[in-house]
Amino acid sequence: LRGLVSKGRGFTQEDKAVIEYAQKKILARIAPLYRELAERGSMEITTSPFYHPIIPLLIDSRSAREAMPQVELPEVLFAHPEDGAHQIEEAVKLFRGLFGAAPKGMWPPEGSVSDDALQLYMNSGIEWLATDEEILFQSLRVDLRRDGSGYLVNPELLYRPYRYGKDGKHLDLVFRDKGISDLISFHYSRMDAR
């Protein structure tokens, strides 16, 4: 690999094969390392539904109106809650195969949740979900406001877990701070380490 870095350009198919081989060796070590760290209690691994679908829309495409009351829906509506359940179950099955245990938590694709979706997660044994601050504030019907420095005006609403319960089951929900997440994902990575 050092030789390829020095070469800098004009790579051959053989050069590309060397890189592919190295990448595959590295990738093959990731899942076992995560499993080991999880078994030691050093980290918790989460997942999302199998093909990363927006579960409320699989359950019933009319659910889009919960967040966007004026949205124009397609003429042919879609309502397949069994597909939503299948997507969650397939993710749990794959996770169990990779890591030796079912996941405790999931990240719903695009942070999308609904009462019916939360029920599916609970039925699949999921204990907690992480979603976005905008979902929380819209659910609470409270304005999401930040001061001039970007700090939440009402942080006590965001920086705590919530519990959703129905039919004798419950699910815990945590909500990410989008400002901090965006800084870590998009801004800090471009800064000098110091």
Side-chain angles (χ1 to χ4, degrees):
L1 292 176
R2 284 188 190 105
L4 292 175
V5 170
S6 297
K7 184 175 180 180
R9 64 178 60 201
F11 300 110
T12 65
Q13 287 303 114
E14 291 78 23
D15 294 337
K16 293 175 192 176
V18 168
I19 294 170
E20 180 182 10
Y21 175 78
Q23 288 176 335
K24 285 181 177 179
K25 277 184 68 173
I26 292 167
L27 291 172
R29 295 192 322 242
I30 293 173
L33 174 62
Y34 281 14
R35 182 176 181 157
E36 177 188 328
L37 292 171
E39 288 171 350
R40 283 198 326 228
S42 298
M43 64 184 280
E44 181 177 340
I45 308 167
T46 63
T47 190
S48 66
F50 195 74
Y51 282 114
H52 207 71
I54 298 175
I55 296 295
L57 294 178
L58 286 180
I59 295 169
D60 188 338
S61 57
R62 291 173 291 194
S63 70
R65 288 218 168 104
E66 290 178 33
M68 302 175 295
Q70 306 305 321
V71 72
E72 187 176 326
L73 295 174
E75 283 185 34
V76 178
L77 297 173
F78 188 90
H80 289 279
E82 72 282 2
D83 192 23
H86 178 75
Q87 294 293 324
I88 295 167
E89 288 299 327
E90 285 300 302
V92 170
K93 185 175 153 186
L94 176 63
F95 190 98
R96 188 178 279 119
L98 284 171
F99 302 112
K104 291 181 181 179
M106 275 198 181
W107 283 77
E110 305 310 319
S112 298
V113 292
S114 67
D115 285 334
D116 291 336
L118 294 175
Q119 191 68 45
L120 291 182
Y121 286 107
M122 287 188 299
N123 292 346
S124 295
I126 299 302
E127 297 176 20
W128 64 269
L129 296 178
T131 185
D132 196 78
E133 68 183 19
E134 292 169 347
I135 303 288
L136 172 65
F137 284 98
Q138 185 169 347
S139 297
L140 296 175
R141 297 186 188 344
V142 174
D143 287 336
L144 171 63
R145 294 186 337 228
R146 295 185 182 274
D147 65 19
S149 298
Y151 296 112
L152 280 173
V153 172
N154 43 6
E156 69 283 355
L157 295 176
L158 179 61
Y159 301 122
R160 66 183 190 93
Y162 286 79
R163 176 159 284 177
Y164 174 89
K166 190 174 181 182
D167 300 331
K169 295 180 182 175
H170 72 270
L171 181 70
D172 295 321
L173 293 116
V174 293
F175 299 86
R176 76 178 179 132
D177 179 314
K178 190 174 178 180
I180 291 173
S181 181
D182 286 350
L183 285 170
I184 293 168
S185 299
F186 305 114
H187 301 287
Y188 293 158
S189 63
R190 287 180 262 163
M191 295 172 68
D192 181 84
R194 287 196 181 128

